[in-house]
Structures are given as C-alpha cells and as structure tokens.
Amino acid sequence: MNLVWFKNDLRTIDHTGLSLASKTKNPTIAVYCFDPKQFKKDRFGFKKTEKYRAQFLIETVTELRENLEKLNITLFVVNEEPEFAIPKLVKNYQVERIYFQKEWTFEERNIIEGVRVNCPNGTSLIETFDQFLWHPEDLPYSNYSEIPKVFTNFRKYCEKQVDVRPIVNKIDAFPNENLISQSTQIPSLHDLGLSDFEIDKRTAFPFKGGENQANLRIEEYFWETKNLQYYKKTRNGLVGKDYSSKLSAWLANGSISARMIYWEVQKFEKDVIKNDSTYWLIFELIWRDFFKYVSLKHGDRIFKIGGILNADYDWDSNEHTRKNWINGTTKYDFVNANMLELSNTGWMSNRGRQNVASFWAKESKQDWRIGAAYFESLLIDYDVHSNYGNWIYNSGVGNDPRDRIFNIKSQAERYDESGTFTRLWLQNSLFD
Ligand code: FAD
C-alpha cells in the first residue's frame, strides 16, 4: 500500500508524489492532518493560524478530497499530529511507502522526523521537492552555499542556466476498488478552536481555497479579463481584487504550483501578448524561489533575531507600540489602514506589507520576529520562506543590499494619492 501525505501541496495536478505512487500500480490512500500544533499560541501570544487561513485551508482540503475521490483515492482527514496519525495509518493499512513534499525548515523537519521514528522499520519515506519554479537539482551551483546573497545576481545567472520543468502528467484514475470507506471528517473552524466570521465586503481577497478555485482565478486574471497584460503597471495597487494576481494563497498551500503558473504565462504570451507585465509575474515567482533558496542556504538562521547577517541590533519589545501597530492606531494613517485590512481580512498588499514591516522594525525598532509572527498568524497566504525571508529583508538582517527604510508619508502620497485606500479602512463601516 502507498500513502500520499499531503501538506503544503494540496493539489492533484502537477504533483510528483501522487504521480510516483500511481506509477507503482499499488493501492494508494492519502492523508491530510490538521495538526493541533498549528492552532496553538506561539511564544508571542498569537495563534499560529488564525481564522482566515484556517477557513481557506478547510475549503482547500474539501476540494482536494473531492478531486482525489474522482481518482478513486481516499483522503483521510485527521485532527491529529502527523507524528501519531500517520504511523497509525501505516500499521492499519500495511503501508509500505509514504510519499510527501520535502521540507527543510525547523518545525517541518521535526514533524517529518517524528513520523519517521514512529513508523515501523522498513517503511520507505519518499520525499520530493515540488514547491519550486526552478527545481533545486537544476540549479547551476554545486551546493546551496554558492547561492548569491543578492537577488539580482541569483535571478540573472539562473535565468540563463535553468529551464522550468514541464508539468507532471495528470495521473489516471485508480480502479474503483482502491477507494476505501472511511468516516474521517474535515474539521470546522469551531473544531479548530476558532470562531466563524463574515467576509468583510472591503476585502481585496474575496476568494476561496482549493485547486479548482486557483484555476478559476487563473481563468479570470489571465483569460477573461486579460489583466495579466497590465500587471507591471497595477501590481503596487491597494484596493480591489485585480491589481495583482492574488495567487499567493493557493501557492502557499500548494493548491497550484509555480510551474503551472509559469506554463500558463507561456501560453498567454503565445496566444495573447508577451510584454513586461507577463515577464514580471515570472520575475515575482523567482523572488518566491529566491526566499526558498535563502532558507535552504541559511537554515534556521532566518528565524533568529540577527537573521542571516548575524546582525547585533538593539531591538525593543514594547507592549504599547505593539498594540498601536496591531490595532491600527499609530501616527501614520497609511500604516493603520493596512493593519486594519490585515486584521479584518487576512490580506495585505505587497506595498502595504513592506511599509508596515519597515515601520515596525526599522522606524519603531521593535523585534522583527514579533511582526513576522503576527503576519504568520493572520495572513491567508502565509508561507514560511516568503514571510521570514521578506521580514529579514525588510528589517535589515537579510538580503537587502540597500538596507532601506521606507518614508511612510511619501509612500502614502505616491501609492494612495487620492487617499481612497486609507479612507476605505479608516472611515467605512464594516458591512455597508
Ligand atoms: P503578485 O504580485 O501577483 O505576484 C505573483 C506571485 O509572486 C505571488 O503570488 C507570490 O507567490 C510571488 N511573490 C510576489 N512578491 C513576492 C515577494 N516579495 N516575496 C516572495 N514571493 C513573492 N508572500 C507570501 O506568499 N507569503 C507570505 O507569508 C508573505 N509574507 C510577506 C511578508 C512581508 C513583510 C513582505 C514585505 C512580503 C511578504 N510576501 C509574502 C510577499 C508578497 O507580499 C506576496 O507574495 C504578494 O503580496 C501576494 O500577492 P499576489 O499573489 O497578488 O502577488
């Protein structure tokens, strides 16, 4: 028996583990664990996963289960730590091989190790990288230590040397007998210790989780509106769903892959138009890869206060400053509007994220890890590498060669010239 262990790769298309399992022609089951560790409070007092991302995850796993069922694969969904749930499945179903996406950050490594230790001897754990645009084996460096510190050097060199791999072939459905009757339930927000909420009408992210939903967004942003062709001009926007692709949340939990987006852009360039904007979406996906490589290169240093530079700054941790930042009551309306957007929706634009991070870490000199942990809790699209990579970058302990501090006032004047965004969050009531 094969077991496909789904983590942040919640899709049935372009999925290496699923494809390897299907090639063996052996019976195959699948599992997703809502890990209680992910819903506890962290050391700064924030829930590791707040309601917005939890809801998106519930929707994603619901679609995954339906899509797997069409392939005659049963998805067990458990509200239990993988370290215990997976060995039980292995024993109950005589699983010989477990397929899953390779991870290397601290918490993820510990979980995989826990699974390994608790599984019977002889169980094969088969891990594959499936979250990159450029596969690690295709990189033109002999080891990760050679990856440049500066993004532009990384991008320019790799763009010449690396090809994006084709999409992994869609698997054929298993025979009907592969389906197993089982009664595991997808938890509700309440089961996860979170409260229900109504979607804020002002949200710039009015989307649902799941691989079909990710494809619908591609359909809309690329093919129906053709907004992709203007992306480079609109990407610094703040209001509405179409200033940027909004693909990050699906990418973060793997309900779409970076490769799938890349190949869709190639198709768009052939069928509609190839311009700066179509290139720029790929450029941003390369940033995403870059932060994954930064964390592969530097390991757990991305979580340390001194970051990858081992910098020794005098960080503060002031309760009053923290409350003002989180509640949107700082001296800057622009920061406040962005922070209110985050707490009311789980979303913030890239422009907003850079400004509020710079305000927190650079201007207020507060421990950047608290800011990163707050983002981790709230963001629908939280991704460990992108979040911590961007936070260290914006806090002066990462890869920014210029070590900039944002002038919030002039940023607000430039990107929210008419004040529409600031008014939206500071003046409008929630559900009008
Ligand atoms: P688009 O502008 O349409 O870009 C397309 C894709 O490129 C995105 O979906 C994303 O996958 C990738 N991308 C774009 N910008 C970046 C970037 N700076 N770093 C890495 N990848 C990028 N992104 C996350 O996905 N998860 C996070 O937890 C996260 N935390 C962040 C924290 C801070 C302090 C900052 C400054 C940025 C963070 N970002 C994070 C990066 C970026 O803000 C979001 O990826 C982007 O706003 C998502 O919107 P979009 O999908 O419409 O992006």
Side-chain angles (χ1 to χ4, degrees):
M1 176 73 85
N2 298 319
L3 172 66
V4 181
W5 172 19
F6 284 92
K7 297 188 283 149
N8 281 330
D9 50 351
L10 302 174
R11 62 183 183 275
T12 59
I13 313 276
D14 194 30
H15 192 289
T16 305
L18 202 54
S19 163
L20 290 175
S22 115
K23 278 185 188 142
T24 67
K25 307 273 182 229
N26 289 315
T28 297
I29 53 173
V31 64
Y32 181 80
C33 305
F34 281 83
D35 185 342
K37 290 193 284 297
Q38 293 303 322
F39 300 92
K40 297 220 165 96
K41 283 197 174 163
D42 65 18
R43 61 183 158 164
F44 301 116
F46 306 122
K47 281 204 172 162
K48 270 182 86 64
T49 309
E50 261 299 348
K51 57 191 174 193
Y52 304 115
R53 187 163 74 259
Q55 178 61 28
F56 195 79
L57 183 59
I58 290 169
E59 291 158 2
T60 305
V61 173
T62 306
E63 272 201 8
L64 179 69
R65 184 148 80 173
E66 287 162 12
N67 289 349
L68 284 170
E69 209 166 293
K70 289 181 198 145
L71 298 167
N72 291 325
I73 300 172
T74 304
L75 180 71
F76 291 79
V77 179
V78 295
N79 204 351
E80 192 184 0
E81 299 191 339
E83 297 90 311
F84 303 108
I86 291 185
K88 272 192 247 166
L89 276 176
V90 166
K91 283 172 204 145
N92 291 347
Y93 292 94
Q94 285 91 46
V95 168
E96 291 166 317
R97 287 163 300 271
I98 310 177
Y99 296 87
F100 58 94
Q101 179 167 280
K102 193 166 177 164
E103 303 283 352
W104 57 93
T105 33
F106 181 71
E107 290 171 6
E108 289 74 11
R109 249 182 13 240
N110 281 348
I111 294 171
I112 293 169
E113 206 34 49
V115 169
R116 192 188 305 278
V117 167
N118 291 342
C119 277
N121 281 342
T123 317
S124 305
L125 275 70
I126 300 145
E127 11 179 16
T128 45
F129 285 122
D130 226 6
Q131 58 275 70
F132 289 87
L133 182 65
W134 289 329
H135 196 286
E137 283 165 16
D138 302 340
L139 239 55
Y141 307 108
S142 52
N143 64 59
Y144 298 131
S145 65
E146 291 174 18
I147 289 165
K149 181 184 169 215
V150 177
F151 169 72
T152 309
N153 300 340
F154 167 79
R155 175 183 61 80
K156 285 193 171 157
Y157 190 52
C158 292
E159 275 180 333
K160 288 202 195 88
Q161 308 278 336
V162 191
D163 291 326
V164 176
R165 292 186 178 188
I167 285 171
V168 177
N169 285 340
K170 190 168 188 280
I171 66 161
D172 293 331
F174 281 72
N176 278 339
E177 311 82 82
N178 192 65
L179 267 180
I180 293 174
S181 87
Q182 53 100 25
S183 56
T184 61
Q185 300 288 330
I186 296 176
S188 64
L189 279 179
H190 185 75
D191 297 331
L192 299 171
L194 297 160
S195 43
D196 288 331
F197 63 96
E198 274 185 59
I199 294 175
D200 191 308
K201 293 231 163 44
R202 299 166 292 180
T203 188
F205 192 90
F207 306 107
K208 287 193 180 306
E211 70 174 324
N212 306 349
Q213 306 305 314
N215 288 325
L216 284 176
R217 176 59 183 162
I218 295 263
E219 199 51 45
E220 179 184 46
Y221 191 73
F222 284 39
W223 303 107
E224 281 164 25
T225 63
K226 304 199 170 45
N227 276 326
L228 174 60
Q229 64 184 309
Y230 310 114
Y231 169 69
K232 191 156 183 265
K233 293 191 193 77
T234 59
R235 75 200 165 91
N236 280 310
L238 301 161
V239 179
K241 67 181 168 60
D242 287 331
Y243 58 80
S244 63
S245 76
K246 304 291 168 67
L247 288 168
S248 55
W250 293 289
L251 274 166
N253 73 20
S255 34
I256 195 165
S257 72
R259 287 185 297 254
M260 289 164 75
I261 299 172
Y262 174 86
W263 288 111
E264 201 70 17
V265 173
Q266 303 309 302
K267 194 164 177 293
F268 187 90
E269 288 184 338
K270 204 164 142 273
D271 294 356
V272 182
I273 190 171
K274 178 177 170 144
N275 62 15
D276 279 8
S277 287
T278 55
Y279 168 69
W280 217 259
L281 194 77
I282 307 296
F283 176 97
E284 294 297 347
L285 289 177
I286 300 173
W287 264 112
R288 177 177 173 274
D289 259 27
F290 180 64
F291 284 124
K292 294 194 184 303
Y293 285 112
V294 167
S295 94
L296 268 172
K297 176 177 175 182
H298 296 283
D300 296 336
R301 277 166 65 187
I302 63 165
F303 305 117
K304 303 272 188 281
I305 192 153
I308 61 170
L309 303 182
N310 240 332
D312 189 15
Y313 294 138
D314 208 6
W315 297 102
D316 204 350
S317 170
N318 181 295
E319 193 54 37
H320 185 66
T321 312
R322 172 167 155 175
K323 278 206 180 110
N324 281 337
W325 187 64
I326 288 176
N327 296 338
T329 48
T330 73
K331 63 179 178 184
Y332 294 116
D333 282 351
F334 190 56
V335 168
N336 300 342
N338 276 293
M339 294 305 287
L340 287 174
E341 180 183 25
L342 180 62
S343 62
N344 282 298
T345 66
W347 181 261
M348 194 192 291
S349 67
N350 185 52
R351 187 52 46 192
R353 294 180 204 202
Q354 293 178 73
N355 274 278
V356 306
S358 178
F359 171 72
W360 174 258
K362 288 269 179 72
E363 191 169 325
S364 311
K365 301 191 172 23
Q366 299 296 304
D367 184 342
W368 68 267
R369 296 169 308 169
I370 300 173
Y374 183 64
F375 268 38
E376 173 171 352
S377 175
L378 266 289
L379 279 178
I380 296 184
D381 67 7
Y382 167 71
D383 166 275
V384 58
H385 318 285
S386 291
N387 191 52
Y388 283 86
N390 274 289
W391 266 98
I392 57 175
Y393 187 96
N394 278 275
S395 306
V397 296
N399 304 71
D400 186 357
R402 291 169 292 178
D403 195 11
R404 285 165 294 177
I405 176 161
F406 279 76
N407 180 330
I408 313 277
K409 209 167 151 290
S410 68
Q411 287 273 311
E413 281 160 14
R414 180 159 172 207
Y415 295 104
D416 189 26
E417 204 183 345
S418 61
T420 311
F421 172 73
T422 304
R423 271 198 308 280
L424 181 67
W425 292 101
L426 298 185
Q427 286 176 13
N428 289 15
S429 72
L430 206 53
F431 301 113
D432 54 3

